[in-house]
Amino acid sequence: MSVTAADLKKVFAKAVPADVMAKIDPAQPMAAQGVDSLAITAMAVALQHAYGVTVTPEDGVRLKTLNDVAAWVNTVKAAS
Amino acid sequence: MGNCVSRLFLDLIPQWPDRLAARCRDESLSYAELGRLVRGMGGVVRSLGAGPGSCVLLASPDSFSFLAGFWGCILGGAVAAPVNSRLPQDDYSVCIAEIRPSLVVAPPGHCALEAAREAGVAALALDDASLPGLAEGAAPVSPFPSQADDVALLLVTSGTTGHPKVVPHTQAHFFAVAEHIGNFMGLRADDVVLCSAKMSHAYGLFMSLLLPLQVGATVVLDPDKPSAPRTLELLVREKVSVLASVPALFGLMLLALEDTVRLDSLRLCMSSGEALPEAVHAAWQEATGLEMWSGYGATETMTFVIGSRPPETQPGKAGRAIPPYEAVVLDADNRPAPSGVPGHLGIRGPTVMTGYRNAPQWTRKVFTPDGFYLTGDMAVEEDGVFTILGRMDDMFKAGGLWVSPVRVENALLSHEAVAQCAVTGGAAAGFSLVRAHVVLKDGRELDDALRAKLREHAAARLPESMIPTDIVQLEALPLTASGKVKRYKLKHGA
Amino acid sequence: MTTRAEAIARLGSCPDTVRPGLAYAVGDFAPDDAEGVAALFHTVYGDTYPLDAYYIPETIRRLCGQGELIPVVARLEGGEVIGFTALYKASPPFPGLMEFGLGLVHPAYRGSFVLFHLFSAMMARLEALPGVEAVFGEAVCDTIITQHASSLFGFHETALELGLMREKEPGAGRGACLVMFRNVRDRRRVLHHTACCAGHLGRLVAGAGLDRELVLVDGGDTDAGPTRIATQLFPSAGVLRANVFSLGKDREAELVKIEQQAWAEGCQVCQMYLDASLPGPAAAVPLLRRAGYGFGGLIPRWFDSDALLLQKLLDPPRAELINLYSASAEALLAMALESGGEA
């Protein structure tokens, strides 16, 4: 089962304020939609807990949108 | 606020964590390890109910346990009350009744622990074998925010007779000793320090437990009773550079010193506790090539208040008041005596006790209205240099004139046959007389011929009233735990 | 000595060479990073950051050399510092308890994972940092994000400080800070307490993963020892904090004196941090509660030993301003409000 942006919204429920999360467009950069560094940090830890994947600095600079993150999770999971 | 343990010692450890803080029975203890043990023992002491302000009676011999236990107590805000480790059980019971400790610390099987049990006081069996485990197992305490006038230390005066007196010293006194006597002694990080006086006495306490640790030096601890052969052995084996001892032991070491023994590592020799006889001073200098330092102090002053360093040291004299201490010689009405006239030595300064604990009647007796502590010693001052003539109690009249035992002893010690000497007053057929107790060199026997020679020798150096009437030979002089001659014992033949 | 004004002027005259989207690496602070750290503070905060030290590279280097500040930085290949986090020595009497609460990212890297990598690197280093025995943070309860992020990095809530001024919006009312604790190295300790907080303490101790021997003291017990209290005033937060190291027979009068000092200084909050390794301070809890103090929880390792937090507020806290991320944090709030309500 591949991970979707909708799955990620559930995983990130506590990482990102609910009002921000509700309005997020998965195709648009998260930073532009009110997701700050602390929220992204919490998201990264949530990814570790939920899928056992860790964002590296190299990966991190490429992950701009929620869709980017979902695709990256699927790639990393497939490779492992 | 600031705890003397942290500021004088623990906070400095990061500068020299791997240096040796102490050596004891061939075991070594680094500063980092000692720091951990002190913090751990602070926790142990507190967990046994000795919280801030409560007293801990410490009957441990000089050892790592003593170091860590003592500083641990003070770190957690408790008051350390070190007492001689070689007392009979009854004496500990007296100390416990007097000091009212919350905890008694002593090695396993020590009679002080039994005295504690009888008195219903918590007891901790501690020796160097159990120390690391105990300290590591405890939650360490953080430094208690002590204040300058918090009592940190109780010392029990040996006193010749009667009830022990308890002398409180404060946090501020530790800081003052560290500063003023630290300056006076000038210890260095590369020094190896040995003091023959035990840490249950003021002399041993500041010399072994405070001054070396604040500069990162190494202190050599000896749990055993000090003896000349033992001290000489330690001097050589541990490469001691600073030796602090008492005249009696310097005298005995000279007797035991063989020509083959080299004391090359020594750089500083301090004599305190009693007046150093001129003859011992000279012989020690001849044997080691080192001029002697001298220091004078009392339990009530915690540390040296008068002292001299080479090249100022004058044989037989204690020296000048160490700044900022003030010393005065007082007459019978507590007025300053003229220079050159013997009187009662009074001391004022930053580490002088404010009074005996729970004993205002004794405190009143030992302070002048100007706040000078009356030491109980007779002294004379000339050109600012003080000579200690002896205990007031030891001074006696013979033929109606005052005799200073120290002066007579110095005269006899300058005779080549005499190794050690103590002079007391005596009586024969109702007449008071001067009696000299001598230990002779090289197994010589005191016969009438030698007696006559000694009297002749004394007569050339002393006023007629001080020439010994009676001279007796002893195998050895009776010494107190701190190495002072027990003159009262000689006097009363007890 | 460089002044704050000089340092800020110098920083303002340097062009910002940071470009977005570049590769970065996270590592320990090196002395050469100090200039980059100061530049980052200036970029992020302008001239408004309250502490002078972070604008002055020499001071940053000195604090790091003394172990007062333990940073981790994110650098671009050119050496520019684009992210910074640090443990720092703050107000606890025990120097082994360090505060964690600084995290800066260059605006060009907001919305990136820099902060995650900084925090991860810091947490991975904790065990190896000499002298660091525990870490705590104060999460402002305006939002739950900080609390949640902290919990994800192994921090556990142990106390709730009520009524701290929210500096950003003076006049907006007083919220709270959740004290979050992470143990690094510890050993079994005695925790004295009185019956009124026994149940709460058991839960807090277990939640923080601490090994404690809970020793009940009678509220009437007192040490015969000295009373020793050190106060710290935080004017911008309107808080007077009293570190109560020990309490003797004069405890009641001494505690009243502290509270009077707090109100006289214009504070809104009086906090008592009671050293729980001794029976004396813990025994004062019923006394304080009768005087209107609420039990705010446990600050582990505050004194090296743990502190019990008792707090009194001139005005009641506004619960609607307090957002909490977990059921146990909500339980802390209920506890703090309930006991405070006895006044």
Side-chain angles (χ1 to χ4, degrees):
Chain A
M1 274 262 303
S2 68
V3 173
T4 66
D7 295 334
L8 291 183
K9 281 196 174 189
K10 284 180 206 145
V11 169
F12 297 157
K14 279 193 172 169
V16 182
D19 52 330
V20 174
M21 186 57 94
K23 285 184 283 184
I24 273 191
D25 178 347
Q28 296 299 316
M30 294 180 286
Q33 303 180 73
V35 180
D36 65 8
S37 280
L38 199 58
I40 289 187
T41 300
M43 285 165 48
V45 184
L47 289 173
Q48 287 179 325
H49 290 192
Y51 304 112
V53 296
T54 297
V55 180
T56 66
E58 297 76 44
D59 300 330
V61 287
R62 295 197 310 272
L63 304 179
K64 303 289 186 204
T65 70
L66 212 51
N67 286 340
D68 292 345
V69 176
W72 171 82
V73 171
N74 290 322
T75 315
V76 174
K77 279 178 53 118
S80 64
Chain B
M1 288 195 207
N3 192 302
C4 64
V5 190
S6 330
R7 287 182 38 206
L8 298 177
F9 157 47
L10 290 182
D11 290 355
L12 308 177
I13 288 179
Q15 295 177 42
W16 40 64
D18 301 324
R19 294 192 65 88
L20 285 191
R23 292 263 303 153
C24 183
R25 290 202 199 278
D26 283 327
E27 299 286 331
S28 299
L29 193 67
S30 74
Y31 272 90
E33 288 165 322
L34 178 57
R36 278 195 291 276
L37 292 175
V38 168
R39 297 214 324 130
M41 280 310 297
V44 170
V45 165
R46 181 172 287 187
S47 72
L48 293 171
S54 57
C55 295
V56 178
L57 189 91
L58 194 57
S60 306
D62 281 18
S63 56
F64 299 157
S65 314
F66 186 108
L67 276 187
F70 183 94
W71 284 128
C73 284
I74 298 181
L75 185 70
V79 179
V83 291
N84 186 338
S85 66
R86 297 174 187 284
L87 299 177
Q89 185 171 328
D90 287 351
D91 286 20
Y92 292 114
S93 299
V94 171
C95 285
I96 290 169
E98 190 64 32
I99 289 173
R100 302 178 163 277
S102 302
L103 178 67
V104 172
V105 181
H110 194 278
C111 64
L113 300 176
E114 193 49 42
R117 278 181 210 108
E118 281 183 6
V121 174
L124 171 66
L126 176 75
D127 59 11
D128 285 5
S130 62
L131 172 68
L134 258 171
E136 313 264 310
V141 290
S142 46
F144 186 73
S146 302
Q147 292 175 349
D149 58 357
D150 281 350
V151 172
L153 166 69
L154 295 178
L155 289 171
V156 182
T157 56
S158 37
T160 49
T161 49
H163 212 67
K165 291 180 211 136
V166 179
V167 179
H169 286 291
T170 63
Q171 289 272 338
H173 293 184
F174 278 85
F175 287 107
V177 172
E179 181 185 350
H180 306 305
I181 307 309
N183 284 340
F184 174 73
M185 292 299 297
L187 297 189
R188 309 187 300 225
D190 60 355
D191 275 325
V192 177
V193 180
L194 173 66
C195 179
S196 66
K198 298 304 177 193
M199 289 191 278
S200 52
H201 299 97
Y203 183 20
L205 191 71
F206 72 82
M207 197 56 91
S208 293
L209 180 128
L210 179 56
L211 298 186
L213 298 186
Q214 70 163 352
V215 298
T218 304
V219 60
V220 178
L221 301 176
D222 180 12
D224 298 322
K225 211 169 169 174
S227 69
R230 173 106 189 115
T231 307
L232 285 169
E233 185 198 332
L234 284 171
L235 286 181
V236 173
R237 200 174 67 208
E238 302 289 345
K239 299 191 172 56
V240 169
S241 65
V242 175
L243 170 65
S245 192
V246 294
L249 195 60
F250 278 116
L252 291 169
M253 279 191 279
L254 283 167
L255 289 180
L257 191 59
E258 287 162 24
D259 290 344
T260 51
V261 174
R262 314 260 10 118
L263 300 175
D264 299 338
S265 57
L266 272 181
R267 73 166 186 91
L268 192 166
C269 299
M270 163 59 78
S271 176
S272 182
E274 308 188 86
L276 179 68
E278 292 166 33
V280 176
H281 187 282
W284 186 261
Q285 187 177 344
E286 198 185 316
T288 63
L290 291 170
E291 271 194 78
M292 193 76 84
W293 293 45
S294 85
Y296 166 85
T299 306
E300 288 82 350
T301 68
M302 190 167 164
T303 186
F304 300 148
V305 291
I306 291 173
S308 63
R309 300 179 284 205
E312 276 95 37
T313 318
Q314 297 177 45
K317 299 186 177 180
R320 297 174 185 278
I322 299 171
Y325 292 91
E326 299 168 79
V328 286
V329 174
L330 300 167
D331 66 16
D333 298 320
N334 284 338
R335 285 181 307 228
S339 201
V341 175
H344 196 166
L345 180 65
I347 300 292
R348 202 158 62 176
T351 61
V352 175
M353 67 162 188
T354 53
Y356 295 108
R357 192 187 197 223
N358 300 334
Q361 72 284 12
W362 286 330
T363 300
R364 272 194 300 277
K365 280 186 199 158
V366 297
F367 281 97
T368 69
D370 295 339
F372 279 92
Y373 162 67
L374 296 168
T375 58
D377 283 321
M378 289 287 278
V380 62
E381 174 271 330
E382 282 159 310
D383 298 326
V385 175
F386 291 83
T387 303
I388 311 299
L389 301 172
R391 295 298 296 166
M392 302 275 281
D393 302 344
D394 293 334
M395 303 284 285
F396 57 91
K397 281 189 173 177
L401 294 169
W402 281 109
V403 174
S404 158
V406 173
R407 223 179 133 190
V408 183
E409 287 160 13
N410 274 334
L412 288 174
L413 281 166
S414 66
H415 189 275
E416 48 89 23
V418 179
Q420 289 182 286
C421 178
V423 168
T424 62
F431 292 98
S432 55
L433 54 76
V434 179
R435 176 176 289 143
H437 310 257
V438 296
V439 177
L440 298 179
K441 287 179 186 166
D442 310 323
R444 291 174 67 160
E445 288 296 324
L446 184 66
D447 53 20
D448 284 350
L450 183 53
R451 247 189 212 101
K453 273 187 188 158
L454 288 175
R455 255 188 229 108
E456 206 173 295
H457 186 82
R461 289 162 177 80
L462 294 169
E464 199 183 344
S465 60
M466 293 197 192
I467 300 167
T469 322
D470 192 12
I471 303 179
V472 293
Q473 183 175 11
L474 294 177
E475 286 300 308
L477 294 181
L479 300 178
T480 66
S482 54
K484 297 181 188 182
V485 176
K486 290 181 180 169
R487 286 199 181 76
Y488 62 93
K489 192 166 178 182
L490 292 172
K491 190 172 170 185
H492 300 293
Chain C
M1 284 296 288
T2 314
T3 65
R4 176 188 177 101
E6 286 165 6
I8 289 174
R10 195 189 304 154
L11 291 165
S13 67
C14 292
D16 184 358
T17 58
V18 172
R19 301 287 165 264
L22 301 174
Y24 60 87
V26 167
D28 289 324
F29 172 89
D32 284 349
D33 292 324
E35 278 74 14
V37 171
L40 180 64
F41 269 82
H42 187 253
T43 304
V44 172
Y45 288 104
D47 59 2
T48 64
Y49 195 75
L51 297 181
D52 300 349
Y54 294 106
Y55 291 115
I56 306 170
E58 307 92 83
T59 309
I60 296 173
R61 273 189 282 272
R62 179 175 55 79
L63 292 175
C64 293
Q66 293 168 343
E68 306 263 313
L69 183 68
I70 306 177
V72 170
V73 296
R75 294 183 207 90
L76 298 181
E77 271 177 16
E80 295 93 338
V81 175
I82 57 147
F84 171 88
T85 189
L87 302 180
Y88 47 96
K89 290 215 162 92
S91 42
F94 177 46
L97 175 64
M98 294 191 83
E99 188 162 353
F100 184 50
L102 265 179
L104 272 73
V105 175
H106 192 283
Y109 286 80
R110 294 246 171 88
S112 77
F113 288 83
V114 172
L115 198 62
F116 165 68
H117 292 121
L118 287 169
F119 285 180
S120 299
M122 180 61 85
M123 292 302 120
R125 281 162 172 71
L126 284 183
E127 305 273 334
L129 293 173
V132 177
E133 302 214 351
V135 183
F136 80 107
E138 290 179 320
V140 180
C141 298
D142 293 359
T143 77
I144 62 164
I145 303 303
T146 314
Q147 304 163 30
H148 181 66
S150 304
S151 78
L152 292 173
F153 284 103
F155 286 76
H156 296 273
E157 54 276 20
T158 60
L160 190 68
E161 293 177 276
L162 288 177
L164 302 186
M165 179 78 86
R166 299 191 303 162
E167 287 179 37
K168 282 180 195 162
E169 310 162 52
R174 289 169 170 271
C177 272
L178 192 64
V179 176
M180 302 198 65
F181 174 84
R182 179 171 157 156
N183 184 31
V184 179
R185 54 185 70 89
D186 190 28
R187 56 175 47 143
R188 187 172 175 79
R189 285 160 200 282
V190 169
L191 182 55
H192 289 98
H193 65 96
T194 50
C196 57
C197 34
H200 297 303
L201 274 175
R203 186 167 48 77
L204 295 173
V205 162
L210 297 170
D211 183 9
R212 292 292 180 269
E213 182 188 345
L214 295 177
V215 175
L216 196 64
V217 292
D218 179 340
D221 282 351
T222 47
D223 289 343
T227 292
R228 209 47 54 76
I229 304 173
T231 56
Q232 294 171 290
L233 184 65
F234 301 91
S236 63
V239 174
L240 183 93
R241 176 183 294 157
N243 289 317
V244 181
F245 292 88
S246 68
L247 281 178
K249 291 185 169 62
D250 52 351
R251 59 181 185 165
E252 190 152 4
E254 293 291 329
L255 293 173
V256 166
K257 224 187 286 174
I258 299 289
E259 188 181 319
Q260 284 168 345
Q261 185 196 341
W263 310 147
E265 298 276 5
C267 292
Q268 298 288 311
V269 181
C270 183
Q271 294 182 331
M272 300 279 179
Y273 280 53
L274 307 174
D275 187 336
S277 69
L278 287 168
V285 170
L287 181 83
L288 287 168
R289 285 175 53 124
R290 280 197 298 278
Y293 285 77
F295 178 52
L298 180 73
I299 321 282
R301 307 303 303 277
W302 184 256
F303 297 97
D304 192 342
S305 47
D306 311 327
L308 303 175
L309 168 63
L310 276 290
Q311 52 198 348
K312 184 171 180 177
L313 283 67
L314 280 188
D315 300 315
R318 289 172 56 186
E320 74 277 13
L321 294 174
I322 302 172
N323 298 297
L324 297 164
Y325 83 108
S326 71
S328 77
E330 295 285 357
L332 270 173
L333 176 62
M335 175 188 85
L337 292 176
E338 162 242 318
S339 43
E342 289 183 8

